[in-house]
Amino acid sequence: MVINILNLTRWEWFKSRRRLMPWILLAVAVIIGQIPIWIAYSAFHNDDLQALFSGSINSYSASTEVNGELVTVEMTCVELVEGRMPPELGKFPVDERRELVEDLERFRTESCGGTLAKEEYRTAFVLPSAIEEIFKSSMGLLPILIMILAASVVGSEYGMGTLRTVLTKGTGRWPLLSSKLLLVLLTVAGVLVVLAVTAIAASLIAAVIPPSEEGGFADSGKWSEMVVTFGKALYGLSPYIALSALFAVLTQSSAISIAASLSYYVLELIITPLFRINETLEKLTGFILGGSVNNWMQAAFVEVEVNSEGGFNEQTDLFQSFLVILAYIVVLSTVAFWIFQRRDIAGAKGE
């Protein structure tokens, strides 16, 4: 049975690789994933861009007269966060200087909360954290691309009318659908590998093009954490494969299943913020597919420790998200297989 599914998966790959859609979806994923890396690189080398991307364009200005000379201190949020004090500050009298420092700290706290330090931008394009960054930045788009791909792989043969022909050759419905889902899962894993390779390439390019920066190009994060992040990303994306496959089997149409999957995805984006208005409803967001995947992926990009300051709760939430995602995968896949086994296969629909 396993060998039969693997052979069918290989055959599905031979068919899918000749189609244009999977390659277009891969190109979109690569392009979208590269954008945050180069935004971070640009912000790291330019204070104005750093302030723009952080949304902190405020500045502080103070003046005093010293020995008949007007001395002015001007500082932006970027300079404050970086701790770059201007030399003019030393010209202020001691008392005024102390008051000025207190005002600057107050201004930094009240007006510069969204400003990131330069080192935080650097981690976005330096290995191996650049791989984490490209996974993280792609998670908003990858579910959409995956649902389109899964709907195309599972539902396209309904429209072409070839599904009935394939089944009459004794392929078996369960092995055929299993091979299609396995192909999509392996394709998603391949996409994540490609994204990791492009992140490595972008980091190498950033290290050699001017202006050069201090430090090596592989001194941020741990490589072992990237492997864990890869596995969590693949697991977090799996229920979207099952969801789109279910719609494809249910509607017997790739186009309708794409529309239904994307509609569900958008509906979740609209409903989830509304649930946060009420504390009772907010608890339900952890059981919605998108909310569970978001919680799961957030935990994939931070280090969770069991301690007395809430780490245990974070790990409990992580385990809950794991179980909720598993439930979605099992339920959606089971229903898809059940429908596929029992429903008659119609002729070509001309999609």
Side-chain angles (χ1 to χ4, degrees), residues 47-279:
D47 286 354
D48 293 335
L49 290 177
Q50 184 176 347
L52 178 62
F53 296 144
S54 298
S56 301
I57 58 176
N58 299 325
S59 62
Y60 179 91
S61 178
S63 301
T64 188
E65 187 174 342
V66 181
N67 298 326
E69 178 186 359
L70 183 64
V71 179
T72 302
V73 170
E74 294 183 357
M75 294 197 68
T76 64
C77 284
V78 173
E79 292 171 333
L80 280 171
V81 171
E82 290 293 318
R84 288 181 260 158
M85 293 298 177
E88 290 80 8
L89 185 62
K91 299 179 180 180
F92 277 61
V94 176
D95 293 340
E96 294 186 20
R97 189 189 312 165
R98 186 181 300 109
E99 294 178 1
L100 179 58
V101 170
E102 293 176 356
D103 288 342
L104 286 171
E105 179 61 24
R106 190 180 304 110
F107 175 80
R108 185 188 67 81
T109 303
E110 296 176 355
S111 303
C112 304
T115 305
L116 301 178
K118 287 186 65 175
E119 189 60 29
E120 296 186 50
Y121 283 98
R122 187 174 183 274
T123 59
F125 62 88
V126 176
L127 292 175
S129 57
I131 300 175
E132 178 180 326
E133 182 63 29
I134 202 170
F135 286 162
K136 183 178 179 180
S137 62
S138 301
M139 287 308 298
L141 179 70
L142 280 180
I144 297 175
L145 301 181
I146 289 169
M147 288 188 292
I148 295 174
L149 176 64
S152 175
V153 171
V154 177
S156 60
E157 292 200 67
Y158 284 106
M160 294 184 293
T162 57
L163 187 58
R164 177 184 292 180
T165 304
V166 173
L167 292 175
T168 56
K169 295 180 179 181
T171 301
R173 297 196 180 197
W174 189 89
L176 180 60
L177 183 56
S178 298
S179 66
K180 290 178 179 294
L181 295 180
L182 180 58
L183 172 65
V184 178
L185 182 64
L186 293 176
T187 303
V188 173
V191 170
L192 293 176
V193 171
V194 171
L195 290 179
V197 171
T198 57
I200 294 174
S203 183
L204 292 174
I205 294 173
V208 298
I209 62 175
S212 59
E213 67 255 9
E214 299 178 358
F217 67 90
D219 58 359
S220 177
K222 299 178 181 178
W223 287 97
S224 59
E225 293 178 356
M226 301 306 106
V227 178
V228 175
T229 301
F230 174 89
K232 287 190 174 183
L234 184 61
Y235 180 74
L237 293 170
S238 297
Y240 293 104
I241 300 175
L243 175 66
S244 189
L246 173 59
F247 281 129
V249 172
L250 185 64
T251 63
Q252 296 188 352
S253 168
S254 58
I256 297 178
S257 61
I258 291 174
S261 302
L262 297 184
S263 297
Y264 173 83
Y265 187 79
V266 173
L267 184 63
E268 271 198 354
L269 295 178
I270 297 174
I271 292 178
T272 302
L274 297 179
F275 278 12
R276 295 193 175 97
I277 298 176
N278 184 280
E279 293 184 1

Side-chain angles (χ1 to χ4, degrees), residues 1-11 170-176 178-179 182:
M1 178 66 71
V2 175
I3 296 177
N4 184 30
I5 293 176
L6 293 178
N7 288 332
L8 289 172
T9 303
R10 184 176 62 176
W11 173 243
T171 301
R173 297 196 180 197
W174 189 89
L176 180 60
S178 298
S179 66
L182 180 58

Side-chain angles (χ1 to χ4, degrees), residues 290-304:
S292 299
V293 173
N294 286 336
N295 293 337
W296 172 255
M297 293 312 301
Q298 286 174 6
F301 302 121
V302 297
E303 183 177 355
V304 180

